[in-house]
Amino acid sequence: MRMLPAAITTAYHTELGLSYLCAGDTGPVLLFLHGWGAFKELWWMTLRDLGQDYRCFALDMPGHGDSRLGRAATIPALAEVVIAFCEQMGLREVILFGHSMGGSVAAEIALQRPDLLRMLFLVDAAVESQRMPLFTRIYLLPHVGWPALRLSQMLGRLFSPLGMRVPHEHGGGVLRPWARRAAYLARFDPEGLYRLLRSLFTHREPARLRGISTPTVVVSGLFDLLVPIYLSYRLARHIHGAKLSIIPAAVHNPMDERPGDFCRVVRRLLGE
């Protein structure tokens, strides 16, 4: 018989300045990291499902949601904050999920502290950022990038009355989840977002990824435009023994656009 969806609670780590969601009381630990401009509630439907059988945590990354940026304005610094969270919360044998920018952070953690991890899921991960389409760097262009970022946030504020009314358990799709994400983006500090994006597109040698020893799954939305599927294929080839899983009909946010399919794929892979 199907269990009831897991209850979700919101908590705050005062020392680290991190807001996070948690669901589930027993089972292996699952830790979820969102991408640039996103928020912990992006994983809401994932936590409701997987929290039935796992201890789940989803962070507001520094500079996002209710988490302060502090000095964590680079990918390595974000990784250090997440590592500190694991250590202070006593989390071991973590199954780590990193989406988009969170995937770059997750890969950094896997390189620095493989002892903390049991398994790694890189979801539409912006790891080889230099190979991403040129339009993904529009906010970093001289003279036009900063105005473009502020314009995006202004448009997000226009959509906020609609976007903030989209429930966390919206069932998937494209338009309503997009409006919800745009409304959240409008609330964040643009200076912090800019600094994090600049770090994301700093070149990192892909050969480093061969140092990842944690069992890894690369997950990609079939129609992702930000991190096209060929980059997920490349990423899986860089990491020894990595598996590749494609979510049909998903774009860049499969956990939000196709939540049922995403959870079924994750459950199958965890079962293997």
Side-chain angles (χ1 to χ4, degrees):
M1 185 174 65
R2 182 81 173 158
M3 296 175 60
L4 291 174
I8 297 176
T9 58
T10 303
Y12 190 79
H13 194 295
T14 304
E15 181 179 341
L16 296 174
L18 291 180
S19 178
Y20 62 97
L21 301 174
C22 45
D25 299 316
T26 60
V29 173
L30 274 55
L31 178 60
F32 298 90
L33 310 179
H34 64 70
W36 183 87
F39 45 95
K40 60 185 181 300
E41 289 82 5
L42 197 71
W43 301 100
W44 189 275
M45 289 176 283
T46 306
L47 268 61
R48 290 280 275 169
D49 186 315
L50 299 181
Q52 299 171 62
D53 302 295
Y54 299 90
R55 292 178 62 206
C56 299
F57 300 85
L59 305 182
D60 263 339
M61 298 287 276
H64 297 75
D66 296 316
S67 294
R68 64 172 186 259
L69 179 63
R71 297 180 180 177
T74 66
I75 298 301
L78 291 176
E80 290 177 6
V81 171
V82 176
I83 290 169
F85 178 81
C86 291
E87 291 178 334
Q88 295 190 28
M89 296 290 289
L91 306 182
R92 293 291 184 271
E93 293 286 301
V94 173
I95 300 170
L96 181 62
F97 290 73
H99 170 245
S100 196
M101 180 191 75
S104 187
V105 176
E108 192 71 27
I109 294 169
L111 288 167
Q112 290 184 26
R113 291 294 304 275
D115 58 296
L116 287 177
L117 305 183
R118 172 175 173 178
M119 195 171 180
L120 179 65
F121 281 79
L122 299 175
V123 184
D124 293 281
V127 176
E128 286 194 90
S129 57
Q130 295 299 313
R131 292 182 175 269
M132 290 168 60
L134 290 177
F135 73 86
T136 61
R137 293 187 280 281
I138 188 170
Y139 295 142
L140 298 178
L141 293 176
H143 310 300
V144 300
W146 181 253
L149 175 57
R150 299 308 300 268
L151 177 61
S152 294
Q153 290 193 298
M154 184 183 72
L155 292 174
R157 282 190 287 274
L158 292 177
F159 280 99
S160 286
L162 172 64
M164 296 308 292
R165 287 162 56 184
V166 175
H168 297 321
E169 294 182 70
H170 52 71
V174 176
L175 292 180
R176 292 204 304 162
W178 173 82
R180 174 169 162 260
R181 294 193 298 271
Y184 270 88
L185 175 65
R187 299 165 51 193
F188 304 152
D189 173 40
E191 175 63 29
L193 291 176
Y194 183 84
R195 292 166 64 190
L196 289 168
L197 193 66
R198 188 169 55 197
S199 178
L200 177 63
F201 282 99
T202 299
H203 177 71
R204 294 173 182 82
E205 181 55 51
R208 298 170 68 241
L209 299 172
R210 300 192 184 102
I212 294 178
S213 57
T214 303
T216 300
V217 177
V218 176
V219 180
S220 176
L222 180 61
F223 300 111
D224 192 350
L225 299 177
L226 298 176
V227 183
I229 195 168
Y230 68 84
L231 289 181
S232 292
Y233 277 100
R234 279 182 54 89
L235 180 58
R237 288 199 299 269
H238 278 308
I239 302 172
H240 178 72
K243 298 179 181 179
L244 177 67
S245 185
I246 309 300
I247 308 291
V251 191
H252 184 61
N253 300 272
M255 77 296 290
D256 202 35
E257 298 152 353
R258 306 290 294 181
D261 292 344
F262 180 77
C263 288
R264 280 189 288 273
V265 165
V266 169
R267 284 186 175 277
R268 174 176 57 82
L269 292 165
L270 290 175
E272 292 175 358

